[in-house]
Amino acid sequence: MGTAIDPKQPLPVYIQLKTLLIQEIIDGRYGPGDRLPTEHELCALYNISRTPVNRALTEMAEEGIVLRQRRHGSFVNPEWVPPHTSPHDVQVIVPEGSWEAMVRAAAPPDLSLDILQVGLSELRQVLVRAVAEGRAPDMAIMDSVWVHEFAASGFLAPLQELDADWVRDEYERDFVEPFRTANKFDGGPVAVQAEADVAGIWYRRADVAAVGHKPPRTWEELAAVGGALAERGTTIPLTLPGGSLAGETATYCLLSLLASNGAGVLGQGTVTLDTPAVTECLTFLQQLLHAGVIPAESVAYERHRPMRQLAEGKASMAIGGSYDVPALAAAASLAPEDVLDQFGFIAMPAGPRGRAATLAGGMVYTVFRQASSPQPTMRLLRAVTSVEALTRMSRTTWQLAPRRSALDAAAADFPFLHVTGTMLGQAVVRPPTPPYARVSAQLYTLLESVLSERLEPRDAVVRAADMISAITGLPLA
């Protein structure tokens, strides 16, 4: 029992313990009929209280994994059969959308795939529950911000252990930064980027030209373009997802603005949010609000509303991402390949302390430690992240391929992919921390508190930094 249980992890302690015990049963540490350690022994072994121990064992009994005998303890149920597939079956959990079709199209023909589609809003909980019940899939597609949470909890298989040659010869040589580093844990990759997107500013070409401006390259130019549009009578010069209703989309936009002023949330073992550069970012947004460039109503926008406003001509500029192409094209009644005729997309303009920047994100492929078919799963991973498969994905979805060779091949025929691909060199990623979801909640709450003017920028930054320090256990810089 060398695996530790960490109460600071976002996963409840009882789930960590339940996951560990089930995995030890699957690995054969406890065979059919064997007695597990008592509640008192488990408390002492893992330095945890009796409440999570009791809940873990109770759930395992309810699920038929163990049999509990009063005054005697918990015993492995001889009739419980761990999830098992044939050596050539690979179980995959994917988000709804085009993912299943893409995985099946790339899979080797001799692999039998068992694919479950799950709504994105339910995906994380489905995966956590599956691991806790000892029935994790072989592979899953998940949001890249969950990687460190899942890796820290011991859910993910280090890819170096599955195919060191592929990691050395393909992953390290052809996959692009910043994803190659972001998807590592304890020095090695535990996930492979499936797609990439970047954040920036969309704008209506005709509107910006009509006020005699070029696409803004600095905050000063952005404010000037926004002011000119406001004077011209534009309903919404610049729109954005500005609060908690937009969730992670609001965080995504805020982080790209911070990057453009040389600021971030986490540094080397510290919380770096409480700096003058961050306060400048929030002050700049508040100035745009007071100038009538940003609408006060943005704090109540859900994630898709800014793109609809831009497509319908109600807004001239919108903070968003390259992932908005399909939605923007559909709302504007355009084919995706014609979007750039009417709309432009640029990196976040440079702040006084930084340079033009963007935030990169997307979904990743992961292999679980509980995988019953690890080597066939690795074959599938190599296939779905091959140059051919990623080039096809990029041309189909308009998302960026995370391999240089595939990115170059797709961008050769698609100008938008060339534009956004060049932005990857300016990209940062979201803070790679296990409790990312709670950190993100503090960030979009920070944005909302400033745009709603409940707090002054400096006060809002101090409060958010203190909360993130408490969540992560990291000191303030």
Side-chain angles (χ1 to χ4, degrees), residues 280-344:
E280 281 180 351
C281 291
L282 278 300
T283 300
F284 176 62
L285 287 178
Q286 200 171 77
Q287 290 169 347
L288 295 179
L289 178 72
H290 294 161
V293 175
I294 292 175
E297 296 79 11
S298 63
V299 295
Y301 289 170
E302 42 78 28
R303 61 180 298 233
H304 296 298
R305 188 169 178 185
M307 283 302 112
R308 289 199 299 268
Q309 293 171 326
L310 184 70
E312 294 167 0
K314 297 176 181 177
S316 295
M317 297 184 291
I319 300 178
S322 58
Y323 50 77
D324 287 313
V325 168
L328 181 58
S333 299
L334 296 171
E337 56 267 25
D338 296 330
V339 164
L340 286 188
D341 293 341
Q342 295 188 28
F343 301 94

Side-chain angles (χ1 to χ4, degrees), residues 83-97:
H84 178 74
T85 58
S86 73
H88 297 291
D89 289 341
V90 178
Q91 297 179 323
V92 187
I93 292 181
V94 302
E96 290 178 339

Side-chain angles (χ1 to χ4, degrees), residues 4 6 8-13 15-16 19 123-129 131 142-157 182-186 190-191 248 364 366 368-369 430-440 471:
D6 185 359
K8 295 181 180 179
Q9 294 297 327
L11 294 176
V13 169
I15 289 184
Q16 294 184 53
T19 302
L123 181 59
R124 178 185 171 279
Q125 189 57 38
V126 167
L127 292 172
V128 170
R129 183 76 179 181
V131 172
M142 65 173 68
D143 194 313
S144 58
V145 296
W146 304 340
V147 167
H148 280 247
E149 172 192 348
F150 278 54
S153 298
F155 292 179
L156 304 182
N183 291 326
K184 289 181 178 179
F185 185 81
D186 281 345
V190 291
E248 180 60 22
V364 297
T366 57
F368 281 72
R369 282 191 180 274
R430 290 170 285 183
T433 178
Y436 176 80
R438 287 185 288 162
V439 171
S440 176
I471 289 168

